[in-house]
Amino acid sequence: MAPPSAIQRVFYLPEILGMFCDELPRIRDLLSAALTSRTFCEPALDRLWRDIRSLDPIIACLPEDLWIRDESALSVLSLECNINTIVSAPDSQRLLAAIFTLCNPDTLERLYLSDNVNHVEHSEHRPLLERIDISGLFKFKKLTDLLVELTGGLWLTPDEVQQIPGAWPNLEFLQLDLTNRRVPRIDHKDVLNIVYKCRSLQTLQLPFDATEVEGAERNLSPGDGMTPALIYLDVGYSPILSPSRVIQLLTVHLPKLETISPHWNPRSELEDDEEHQYHDRWEFVGEHF
């Protein structure tokens, strides 16, 4: 068979094939084109996926054990969204609003949301006042795993943290705002409230202000004989003054804890002397706990 002429090769250009597919009026025509040959497959599929009216086609591509059909809401068991770029706080809020609206709180058990937050190395790149509100997630009572790491930052308040045990009583894994370098608005008392009341929580990755730790502070125990299940704690960029007092606190309240890990960039990339000090103090806690 003779090789195709220059004129014939023009009709194999993706742009030409795309223009042809744009003229097909019906979905079934595009589907037929996609099934006709490898030449038409990619441009036809591009056109099919360009305008979809619901999430159903995407959900249908997921493994069947991850979702259940429901007429009232998207009954997903596990949802992971890892955005390969830096997302602004308003866009992050819109993403969360879509999840609040579309996902079924009676079925969602695992939720992982992140963007390229680790690529934002300096705090001046983050707005000082903007924050992302995750309170809409409190209606998802069956969550066992939750990760939210977005560039805009959550900058959690004590009131929000107080609601976590009641909102997510079955938590086993929780990571919130780990890479945020703003001074946390929550402290060690808020963290202990979470680990004492979320009785299945084994992994906690959450920054908090540890500068006011006074020592063992046994009065913070609820007194019901319950021992927190926590075995892994990542403190992110948590401020700390006294490693010895923090060690006393953790020894008394978290006897099952095996690992304490500060989520720092390499020491050479830390911003100032204060961050260097925090880094070294948490390393001391991790080594001597």
Side-chain angles (χ1 to χ4, degrees):
M1 181 181 294
S5 65
I7 294 296
Q8 290 173 320
R9 287 198 297 271
V10 168
F11 292 100
Y12 287 87
L13 292 172
E15 293 82 359
I16 300 298
L17 293 171
M19 291 172 61
F20 174 80
C21 290
D22 284 340
E23 297 301 318
L24 297 177
R26 298 175 298 183
I27 290 178
R28 64 184 181 185
D29 295 331
L30 285 166
L31 180 60
S32 296
L35 297 174
T36 297
S37 69
R38 292 181 180 179
T39 302
F40 276 105
C41 182
E42 186 169 338
L45 288 177
D46 284 345
R47 182 63 186 84
L48 274 170
W49 285 97
R50 184 185 304 167
D51 299 308
I52 56 175
R53 298 181 180 179
S54 75
L55 292 176
D56 287 350
I58 298 175
I59 299 303
C61 294
L62 299 174
E64 291 184 359
D65 60 345
L66 292 185
W67 57 279
I68 304 168
R69 285 196 177 274
D70 189 295
E71 293 183 359
S72 60
L74 188 63
S75 297
V76 181
L77 303 181
S78 180
L79 178 62
E80 180 171 355
C81 182
N82 184 14
I83 305 168
N84 193 29
T85 186
I86 295 172
V87 182
S88 68
D91 285 341
S92 296
Q93 200 66 66
R94 282 190 281 271
L95 171 63
L96 285 167
I99 293 171
F100 303 157
T101 303
L102 296 174
C103 291
N104 188 339
D106 293 328
T107 58
L108 188 63
E109 297 178 358
R110 298 176 296 277
L111 177 61
Y112 310 95
L113 298 176
S114 64
D115 64 4
N116 253 6
V117 63
N118 286 322
H119 289 215
V120 182
E121 296 179 353
H122 301 293
S123 57
E124 63 263 25
H125 293 164
R126 302 187 180 186
L128 293 178
L129 298 178
E130 276 190 340
R131 61 183 294 266
I132 300 165
D133 180 11
I134 63 167
S135 60
L137 291 176
F138 288 157
K139 69 178 183 178
F140 294 93
K141 303 291 187 181
K142 294 193 174 181
L143 282 175
T144 61
D145 291 29
L146 177 62
L147 180 153
V148 182
E149 284 295 337
L150 298 167
T151 300
L154 310 182
W155 210 18
L156 295 168
T157 67
D159 287 342
E160 288 172 327
V161 173
Q162 287 292 320
Q163 295 180 66
I164 286 177
W168 307 317
N170 303 313
L171 279 178
E172 299 173 7
F173 171 93
L174 178 63
Q175 176 178 332
L176 297 176
D177 223 18
L178 189 63
T179 55
N180 192 349
R181 288 187 174 180
R182 290 180 287 196
V183 176
R185 295 194 280 191
I186 62 174
D187 62 16
H188 64 288
K189 298 176 183 178
D190 298 309
V191 170
L192 289 179
N193 180 64
I194 294 174
V195 298
Y196 270 116
K197 293 182 178 179
C198 293
R199 303 202 167 193
S200 300
L201 186 63
Q202 296 187 10
T203 298
L204 178 63
Q205 302 182 194
L206 178 69
F208 62 96
D209 187 348
T211 60
E212 300 296 324
V213 174
E214 297 177 356
E217 299 190 50
R218 297 178 186 273
N219 62 304
L220 297 180
S221 169
D224 58 1
M226 182 267 177
T227 299
L230 198 71
I231 60 175
Y232 181 88
L233 175 64
D234 192 330
V235 299
Y237 293 89
S238 294
I240 176 176
L241 287 183
S242 173
S244 61
R245 292 178 181 175
V246 170
I247 290 173
Q248 292 176 41
L249 182 83
L250 298 178
T251 301
V252 169
H253 294 279
L254 303 176
K256 294 183 180 181
L257 191 64
E258 298 175 359
T259 304
I260 303 169
S261 173
H263 186 94
W264 300 89
N265 287 337
R267 197 176 192 281
S268 59
E269 296 180 10
L270 299 181
E271 293 186 24
D272 51 37
D273 290 340
E274 192 173 61
E275 282 200 350
H276 286 129
Q277 291 175 1
Y278 294 159
H279 175 275
D280 294 343
R281 289 167 186 168
W282 280 114
E283 279 202 337
F284 182 90
V285 172
E287 291 170 2
H288 294 87
F289 173 71

